[in-house]
Each structure stands twice: as C-alpha cells, then as structure tokens.
Amino acid sequence: MRTTAKYEVDALVQDLVAQFSAARLPMPVVVLYAQEDDPELDAEVRSVVRAVQEAQEGGGLPHRSVPHTAEGDPHENAIAVLDGLAKGPWARRGPSWYRGYPAPRSRLVAAIEAATRHVLDGATPATPTGPAGRPVDELVEAVLARLRDLHWRPEPRTAGREWQRLLSPVLNSTTLIGAFVLAALTSLLTQATWQLVAGVLLTAVAVLGATGWVRRNTAPLSWLGPASRWFATTTFLAASGRQAAAWSLWRPRMSWDVTQARAREVAGEILKAQLPDTPAPDRDRAQQFHLQLRTLALLEDLRRAHRSWAPDARGRKRRVPPVVFVPRADAGSGALRVLGAISDVRSRRSEQDPLLVLAAVAHADVAAWLEDGRPAPVGASAPVGAPAPGPRRGPYEDWVSDLRVRQAPSRGRALAWTLPVRLTRLQLQAGETTRLAPVPVGRSWWFLWSRWSVLLALVLVAAGAGLRVQQLSGQYCEARLVGSNPDAVWRTGPGGTRECVGVATGAVTFAGAGGIRLDGALPGAGAPGRTGADLGLRELEDAVRRENERVAALPDVRYVTVVYAGSLTTAAGQDGRALNSLKELAGVHLAQVRNNGGDPLKIKVLIANGRQDMYFQTEMVRRIVDLAARDRSIAGVVGLGRDTSDSGAALTLLQQAGLAVVSTTNSASYLAGDHVNYFGLAATDEEEAKALGLIVRALDVPPPDRWAAVLTRTPTPDDRYSPEHARYGSEMLAAAGYRLIGGRPLEYGLTSNGDPDYETALATTCRGEHPPAVLYLAGRADDVNQLMRRLADDKGCARPLTVLTGDDLTKAQFRTGGTAIAPQATLYYTALSDPAATARGSDLAETAASVLHLVPAAANPYEDDVFSDGSLALAYDATAALQAGAAKAGASQLTGTGSVMAALRAVQLNNRPTGTVDFRETRPLATGPQPGHGLQIIRVRRDAQGVPVVEPRCGRPAGETRELTDCPL
C-alpha cells in the first residue's frame, strides 16, 4: 500500500519520541532528502518537515523551528541558530511538560561572544582605527575587561531590574511566598515591639542587598554555579588549550584562575575566527572550534535539563525529548554546519543528550552524509515501507545498532549521528492522507514534585510537626518531635493544676516561677536575713546537676545514683506544702557533696516528683523503675515520706525492680512488714500513739471527765496516714480510760482549695453533752492552723484543752507565726528527730554552711527552722545509709546494684544528725515495730505575752532501743 511521506515521517518521529520516553535511547539528527535531484521534490521535502512541525503546535512536545537565513556569513548564521535555540522559548501548549530549558553554559559562551563583538565593533579614543593592526593578546585582554564590565553576562542588567526581579515574588501577595511574607509582616507589626520590627526590616534590607550584589557580580559565572564548573572541567577545552581541567569546591581561587585562563583561550579563538587578517587555515580551525564549543554548551544544557536524579526530578518530568525542526538546511544559512557540529560533538563525548533534530536537506547537499559510500534507505524499503523478510528492523534500529561502529575513524563516517531518510517521488507526490496528530505527551506524577509543592509539603510538615510537638508538650515535660523524654510527664491533679511528675533527667526541671524558699516563705515575703531565704527548688536542682556533672567528669570514677522522691510541686496557692520535700532535697544534696569529698564511691542524685501530697506516687515510681532498667547505677530511693493508699503498690514495683527504699518521714506501720526493700528512719504511727499515751496518762483528769475526740480527714486515695493515725490514737485513748465522743473518729472534709472544714466535727465535739479534755488530731500539719482558729472562736471548747497529733506537725511554723495556737490549747506532737539535741556531734551544720551557705545566727544552728523539724537531717542520714549499703555491696555503675538491699541490713552509722542509723536489727517482713527509731515529744503553748513557745518534753535519739516510760507535761 502506498503511503505519503508526511505520514511516514510523522510515524518515524513519534516512534523516536516513544523510544526516548521508554528507555532514554539516543536521539539522531534525522535528515530528509529527495531521491532525485529536482527542486520541486526538495520543496516537497521541506513541506514534510513543516507539516510535522505544524502538527506539534497543538501538542505538548517541546520544539523549536530554525528559520532560513540566506544572507550573511555562514559561520555567523550557524552561531545565531545555536544562540536562538539556547535563548528559547521552546514552543508548547499548556503546562503539560516541565518549565523552560535553562541554558547557563550557553549564556556563558554568549557572554564571551558579546564581549568579543564589542571589542571588534567599537573604536575608542585610544584605538581610533578599531581592532585592525592590534595584537591578538591585546584584544583578548580587552575582551576580558569587557566581560568584567558585563559581570560575565551576555547583556548588561540594570540594578532596577535586578531589584524588581528579586522583590517581585516577595512582595506579591498572590504568590505563596508573598502570602507568607504578608502574614508574617502583619503578625510582626501587630504583636512585636518597634525595636524588633526595625531589626527585622534592617536585616531583610541587608540580606536582600547582599543577595542582589552577589547575583549582579557573580552570576552566571559564580564559583559554585553549574556553568563555572562545566567551563573549568570540560575536556573539550582541555584537549585544545594549555590549561588543565581543575575545579574544587574548597579552592575557589584556583577554580577562578582556571576559568579566567580558559575564557582567555576561548576569546582568542573567537577573535581569530572573525578577524579579517587571520590566515584561512587558522580562521577555519577557529570557526570550527567556536561552533563546536557553542554546540557543546547547548547539548550540555539540554542534557543537564533531563538529568533523572536532579533534586527537582527534571528528567522524570521531561518525558519527551526537545525537537528542533529545520525546514531548510543549507550551507548559506549555517544550518548544515550546525547539523555537522552536533554529530561531531556527540562523537567526541560519552555523555548522551536528548536533542532530536528533523531537517530537510536539498538533494545536491546530501553527499556530505554519505561519505562512506553506503546507500541510504530508499523509499518504503527501509524507513517507511513494508518490512523486509525476517525480524522487523526499522531505520532507527539499524542506525542504533551501527552507531558505535560508524563513529570509528577507520570507518570514515564523518557524521555518524545523522539518520538519513531518502524519500521517493511517489511518496512525496502522493495525495493527502489523514491529518497528522501531535505526539502524545503524558503527564507524570513527578510533576507534583516542585519547589512550590516542596514548600507546601514543608509548610504542612512544619505545621504537623508543630502540632505534634504541641501534643507531646501536653504529655511530656521535655517534649521533642523525635525522642521526647519519657522520664517525666505532665499530670493534672484534683485542683486542676498541671504538674510535672516523674524523674528530672535531661533538661527537665520541676521548679516553676517563684516557689517556696528554704526559710518557709515565698520569694521576697520572708524576713530579711533568714537562713535559706535565697534557696529554692531551682537553686537546689542546679546544684545537684553541677555535682553530678563533676562526678561524671572524674577519671576512673565509681559511683551509684540515689533517687530522691518527694512532693516538690503543688497546686496554685499551696506552695507551703512543698517545704518539707524541699528541705529533704537539701539534705540529700548535702549528703551527696559530703560523701563525694572523700569517699571512693561517689553519689549522683536524681530528683523525682510525685506531685502535691504524692498524689501521683505510682506514676512517679513507674518512671523510676523504667529509668533503673536503663541505668544500672541506680542503687535505690530516698524519700517517699508520705503514706498514701498506693504506697504499698509503689513499694512493690520498686521491690520487683530490686531497688531499696530508705524512707525519711513515712510513719506507716505496715510497710516494713510487707516489703523487704523498705527501710524506714521514722517512728511508726503505732509508736507515736504509744508515746503520746504517756502525756494522756500524766493528765490529771477525773475519770468522769475523760472524754476525748479523734478528728480525722475523710479518707481519700492520696492519704492513708490519717486513717491509720486515727486507729492507733483511738486505741491509745481507750487504753488510757477515755471515751470517744460519737463513739468513733469524727471525719472532716476539705474545701475546694484544700482547707479543712471542721464545721460538723467541731459541732459534735464542742457543743455536745460532754466537752472533751483531749482532742486527738489524726490529720496533717496543714489542718492545724484552721483547727486552732476554730477552737479559739468556739465557746464550747473554751475550757483548757490538750491537743495531740503526730509527726506531720513538724512542718508547722509556730515561731514565724505561720501556724496559730489557740489560747486555751496545749499542743503535744511527736517529732521524728530533734537535731538541736542530737546533731551537735555531727558535721551537718558545717557541710550546710560550706555547700549551701546556710549559716544560722543562733548559737546552736540546729535550733534554726531550717534544721529544727528534722526533715533535712533525716534525708541527710538516709542518703548516707543508702550509700553505705551500696559500698558494702560493692555496687557501682560498672558492677550494678543488685546486692544493695541485702547489704543495707549490715549498715550502722554513728554520730549522725539524728543519732545512730542502725539497720542491723531490722528484720525483713517483721510484723512488730522495728527497733531504733528516734522519737521526740514537743509541746507548744502560749506564754504570758501570747507568743507560741515550742519546747521538747522527752524523747530518744535514733539508734536507741529503750522504751519511753515517762514524759513530763
């Protein structure tokens, strides 16, 4: 069947595009010519190229058409063809393919050409006759000087246009960048101070100015630019010049010297190609050099524009090759020279470029493509007709299979990259066929990858990351997008205050703004000069961290880690409730520094917080256990001084983890009997109630008047202390012959802000038939102040009254007026130690003065409120005891701490602030009271002037096992 040339050539082009899209195969220079030497047939060949080109006008194939130029120098015309292809734009319809082709390498060569043209065309006062007669070296230097004036650009660029290009996307609110800038400026102007606004504007002007200067003075031949690197390293110039290829990211001066030298060489060759007095052989060689360099720059620009693994995925977006249509290629227009240069350059280099050329050449000019004597495919026999017998092989398959051989010099094939297609008269003069269709160009999903999509993705990722960090910030005290600190988490207690619970590792801190100080007052609220007024939680945390870092920096160090667990944070307005734990932390740190000063086994300290009243004790303990699984240096826990309903569960978790607990102020009677890892320094509730029984028996109260009331908090999950104290207190009063008003302990609740509500309990106590002689408060120190105020105002309890309570009252502040005492009341409470009597032989005060600068003014420093309640001393001794047990067990961060629990039962420490710490007689899981707990009974009453007087009445230091038998009133 006879087919037309237009149809067959269009099918060939579509096949070539499909070959490129599928496998990025080499693209030839397709040369169409007529079989016979007939001008009419040559015109038909040209119409075939135009018809295929016109078919692409409505498609997405990037293409250019080379116009025919009859006048002028063929070499200049050839350079103009290449320059036009480099400048673009490439025709296309719609956004179906990637953005326009950049041509930095072609622009670089064009800049040298423009400078050369300026030197050749211009006459100056110094050279009125122009370039004629001037040495070539002088002209080359003039070209380089002009290049510097042009800033290595093909044409001058005004500063105004540069600023306009730089600022237009920033200040245009219709662009994504402009919208972000506008939003940022709006937020800045409405929320920031004028100093910040001025600073941001000045910084922006400086950055834009620096950017504009760099763009004007370095582009396109910047040291880091692609054109500079190509120009300095291409082997095309290395083969013809005296400057070796060299470029280095870290040696800009060397790279610039190579670029300058090569620019000098290229300028000299371009000058030789255009100077009239250049000898013909030299001019021909220079023109060939110039043409091939220009062609190489264009092909390299196109190759880089189709690079598959570029950051912008340009090669994956550009799925079809760029096509150049040359409807009339002849010698005068320079098109034949361009086609020859493309083939020559491709034969010299190993890189493959994507350019596809379809050219029409007159029959008389086609001999140059048949220098090897092989006949070109004729008519339908090879390129466009019926297939030959055997496997189907078209002209492209034949050309590709022979390409490597045809490039060999011995084959004599000068233009191996041309694919000649000979068209017969019958094909060219056949009737019209169906209308040619454009090459289909499919859209790739890679088009979604762009700077705008990346920017949008980054914005979404940043927004998502911000939301995620915000979400994590509500969960972890130290939140990060990746690797949040799991050792401390945020928890909200009954009062609605969010508090950090867990272990302070990393950058976690429990200290907030303000907070109670060691003197018991808020910052700025205490009397001047009081001991500990400048020490709060933040200062202690910093001191502990510094000591930990110092220990870690010691060479060949052996250490164990002690975890202090307490109630270091409180609800809003309840800062005073953290004072006891703050003092204990100070004692732990003092013991740490004292030990690290001379003992070979050093101590590191970690701080754990269970929230106010140890409400989240189990949560805190779980964090300690998880941390101990990762840190083998953790020897045990000091603190846990509050008995709550989950104290048993918390100790079980620690026992299962192999961690010993040396408790400071927890007076629960059942813990030592249920847990082998529990070692308590505090007398139990049972021991305290038994000691207070000495006071009750010493009261001269007739039997008919022996009525007593036991007031206890309504049981809550965070308080087991009150019910246990009430039970032992009731038993003690009954044994002393007292009857309970109401027949049982009277409960009182707490208001929403944590204050006790005694209305119902005191109505039963003070306004009943039998006024009490003894009032036993099985509550907390925080409840005493309100109780005393109510007793002072209640006429039913106006008679002399003895008030008894437990060791929690050591937190009260009678001397400072923070805790009141009713006029008719005499208060007796138990204390776990009396440092004023027991600590004089210890080094606690000396250590406190040297480490924390705690220097009380009193002659006996232990009478100061910082020391007198015993909290600091108990923590000091507990830390020393745990370290001693670790030392006996041979524990350290190197060997582990598995035997500390057993070794603690061999610890005996003498001359301690609380007396003697002796765990040798502490039996595991013993049901009876453990021996050796220190115990003091303190009396508080008003003197004649109404000032509370605090006096110890009787007691024993820690380590003594004798029973208290007498206690004066």
Side-chain angles (χ1 to χ4, degrees), residues 402-462:
D402 296 340
L403 181 60
R404 293 184 180 89
V405 177
R406 290 182 180 181
Q407 293 184 88
S410 61
R411 298 286 295 174
R413 178 73 175 178
L415 300 175
W417 282 82
T418 60
L419 173 59
V421 177
R422 184 169 56 188
L423 302 174
T424 66
R425 180 182 294 274
L426 290 177
Q427 290 175 309
L428 291 171
Q429 294 182 346
E432 293 294 331
T433 182
T434 57
R435 184 177 179 181
L436 301 182
V439 175
V441 179
R443 182 185 293 270
S444 169
W445 286 107
W446 286 98
F447 278 94
L448 297 176
W449 180 261
S450 68
R451 57 184 176 180
W452 299 115
S453 62
V454 170
L455 179 60
L456 178 60
L458 291 176
V459 170
L460 293 177
V461 169

Side-chain angles (χ1 to χ4, degrees), residues 63 130 225 284 458 482 545 556 589 701 715 829 906 923 961:
H63 64 278
D284 182 67
L458 291 176
V482 178
R545 284 195 173 96
D556 302 322
H589 176 57
V701 178
Y829 68 89
R923 305 300 180 201
T961 58

Side-chain angles (χ1 to χ4, degrees), residues 205-242:
V205 170
V207 170
L208 291 174
T211 304
W213 186 91
V214 170
R215 287 170 59 89
R216 288 194 305 272
N217 289 275
T218 61
L221 195 61
S222 65
W223 158 50
L224 296 176
S228 175
R229 183 171 187 175
W230 167 81
F231 195 71
T233 58
T234 176
T235 56
F236 180 86
L237 295 178
S240 60
R242 297 180 297 274

Side-chain angles (χ1 to χ4, degrees), residues 518 534-535 540 543 586-587 589-590 847-854 872:
L518 208 57
D534 56 347
L535 282 178
L540 288 176
H589 176 57
L590 292 177
T847 304
S850 62
V851 175
L852 297 178
H853 308 292
L854 300 176
L872 194 150

Side-chain angles (χ1 to χ4, degrees), residues 709-752:
V710 177
L711 305 183
T712 183
R713 282 187 176 187
T714 302
T716 59
D718 63 331
D719 185 20
R720 189 167 175 175
Y721 170 86
S722 295
E724 183 167 302
H725 231 288
R727 177 165 68 90
Y728 289 118
S730 300
E731 292 175 357
M732 177 271 295
L733 290 170
Y738 281 76
R739 289 165 290 179
L740 297 185
I741 297 176
R744 58 179 177 80
L746 304 176
E747 296 180 357
Y748 62 90
L750 300 177
T751 63
S752 58

Side-chain angles (χ1 to χ4, degrees), residues 109-119 143 146-147 150 153-155:
V109 180
I112 301 176
E113 293 171 354
T116 304
R117 211 163 31 247
H118 176 82
V119 171
V143 171
R146 177 59 180 169
L147 269 177
L150 291 173
R153 297 177 184 274
E155 66 281 332

Side-chain angles (χ1 to χ4, degrees), residues 13 44 106 177 232 283 312 412 415 444 471 529 621 641 675 734 763 765 879:
V13 171
E44 289 292 337
S106 297
I177 295 178
R283 181 186 300 110
D312 57 357
L415 300 175
S444 169
Q471 180 186 17
V621 167
H675 302 89
T765 301
T879 306

Side-chain angles (χ1 to χ4, degrees), residues 10-78:
D10 180 68
L12 175 63
V13 171
Q14 298 218 22
D15 181 62
L16 291 174
V17 172
Q19 297 277 10
F20 180 87
S21 300
R24 294 296 195 267
L25 294 180
M27 292 291 100
V29 176
V30 181
V31 175
L32 307 180
Y33 68 98
Q35 181 180 5
E36 303 174 24
D37 189 3
D38 185 344
E40 292 184 2
L41 295 180
D42 292 339
E44 289 292 337
V45 174
R46 293 193 290 271
S47 69
V48 170
V49 176
R50 293 193 188 96
V52 176
Q53 175 197 341
E54 290 171 0
Q56 306 310 317
E57 297 294 339
L61 184 71
H63 64 278
R64 291 292 307 278
S65 179
V66 176
H68 180 262
T69 304
E71 297 83 10
D73 179 67
H75 173 70
E76 294 294 335
N77 291 340

